[in-house]
Amino acid sequence: IVVVNNNSEEKETFNYFKKNSDKFKVIDLPTDKFDFAYIHNKAMKNINTKYTLLLNNDVKVINKDWLTQMVGTFTISPDVGAVGAKLLYEDKTLQHAGVVLGIHTTADHAFRAQPENSIGYMFFPQVIRNYSACTAACLLVDTDLYKKVGGMDPKLAMAYNDVDLCLKFGEKNRRIVYNPNAVLFHYEMKSRTKGEYPGESTYFRKKWGDLIFSDPFYSPHLTLRANNFSLKEHDE
C-alpha cells in the first residue's frame, strides 16, 4: 500500500502514518495547489505490481470482497484495461455506476443520485458491463498500460483526467469494465472545494472531438441532458 501525502495538515494524520509505518509506505508529494494528475503520475513511478488500485482518501469500503471482485474482473478477458466500482453517496444513492461521454456537454456519471438498488435502464446499474470510462476515485488499472499511455494528462489537473485516461486505454483496444459487486461509499470532494474547471472541460472536448458525442457504449437514441438513460427529447 502506497499512501500519497499531499499537503496534509492535521496532527492525527501524521500520528496515523507513524503508527502504521509497517503497513504502508508514505510518499510525500507537496504541491502549491492540488493536482490530481500530477500526484497519480508521480506515485505510479513507485509501483511495479501487475495491477494498481487508484483510491481516493474520501472512499470507504462497504463489502469485504470488493477488491477480490475487481481483480477477478480482469480474468474475464485479456483485453480488460481497467475496472471501476459502484460508488454510493452517504445517503446510499448512486454516485458512480460508470461514465457516459457527452452528457451535460462533456461526461458524467451514469445514474447519479438514483437509489442504490435502482433497476435503471436495462438493469445497467446492477450488472457488469463495459463503459468508455469509470471514475478514478476507485479504479483498478493495468500498471504497465497506465505507464504505456503516459498516465494522466498533466493538462487535466483537476477534471476529466480519469475519463481521459480510460479513453487512452480504449485507444489501445483495452476495455473499461464496471463491476457493481465492488461497493464503496464515496464522499465526493469531501476533502476538496467543489468547483467547475471550464478550461479543462474545453481542452478535454477539443482533444477527443466527435468521440465525446458518439459514446460507443451509449445509445444515440438516449438523451445527453440527463444521466438516467431516458429517451432523447424532440428538440435534441
Side-chain angles (χ1 to χ4, degrees):
I1 299 175
V2 175
V3 176
V4 183
N5 175 35
N6 175 242
N7 300 344
S8 296
E9 298 177 350
E10 296 180 2
K11 183 179 179 180
E12 291 80 4
T13 302
F14 295 98
N15 288 339
Y16 183 79
F17 290 164
K18 186 177 181 180
K19 182 179 179 181
N20 295 279
S21 60
D22 60 327
K23 297 179 181 178
F24 51 74
K25 177 181 180 180
V26 177
I27 300 175
D28 292 312
L29 281 180
T31 55
D32 293 333
K33 58 182 180 179
F34 187 70
D35 190 328
F36 194 83
Y38 170 81
I39 291 169
H40 279 78
N41 290 342
K42 290 286 286 186
M44 285 294 285
K45 293 182 179 180
N46 294 269
I47 305 297
N48 296 302
T49 52
K50 185 175 183 179
Y51 306 122
T52 303
L53 179 75
L54 312 181
L55 188 69
N56 281 18
N57 66 338
D58 54 358
V59 171
K60 182 179 179 181
V61 172
I62 296 177
N63 63 319
K64 293 182 179 180
D65 66 340
W66 66 284
L67 190 53
T68 301
Q69 286 283 346
M70 296 182 78
V71 173
T73 309
F74 270 93
T75 66
I76 292 174
S77 173
D79 64 352
V80 175
V83 178
K86 179 197 283 187
L87 303 180
L88 307 178
Y89 287 113
E90 197 165 6
D91 64 0
K92 293 190 176 181
T93 58
L94 292 170
Q95 191 272 338
H96 170 269
V99 172
V100 176
L101 304 178
I103 291 183
H104 305 313
T105 75
T106 307
D108 196 12
H109 293 183
F111 308 106
R112 185 194 292 271
Q114 293 194 24
E116 173 187 1
N117 296 317
S118 170
I119 293 175
Y121 175 82
M122 301 290 288
F123 216 66
F124 281 175
Q126 314 303 336
V127 297
I128 297 175
R129 70 179 300 264
N130 296 332
Y131 276 97
S132 287
C134 283
T135 180
C138 180
L139 187 69
L140 188 69
V141 301
D142 180 310
T143 304
D144 288 341
L145 182 62
Y146 183 102
K147 296 176 180 180
K148 187 175 182 179
V149 302
M152 293 186 180
D153 190 327
K155 292 183 179 179
L156 296 170
M158 280 297 299
Y160 305 110
N161 35 57
D162 46 2
V163 182
D164 177 82
L165 177 70
C166 290
L167 295 183
K168 290 193 289 187
F169 284 7
E171 285 188 320
K172 299 295 184 182
N173 297 315
R174 301 290 289 275
R175 293 191 292 120
I176 311 302
V177 182
Y178 161 71
N179 188 338
N181 300 311
V183 190
L184 306 92
F185 285 116
H186 182 203
Y187 307 118
E188 188 177 27
M189 289 293 219
K190 193 167 186 177
S191 60
R192 305 291 320 155
T193 300
K194 293 183 180 181
E196 298 295 328
Y197 306 93
E200 294 185 9
S201 59
T202 299
Y203 169 78
F204 177 79
R205 286 193 295 269
K206 286 183 177 179
K207 180 176 181 178
W208 292 102
D210 293 341
L211 178 61
I212 297 297
F213 298 102
S214 56
D215 189 325
F217 303 104
Y218 190 71
S219 171
H221 302 294
L222 301 179
T223 185
L224 293 177
R225 292 179 177 174
N227 53 15
N228 59 4
F229 285 59
S230 57
L231 290 172
K232 272 188 175 180
E233 299 176 19
H234 293 299
D235 59 345
E236 286 191 68

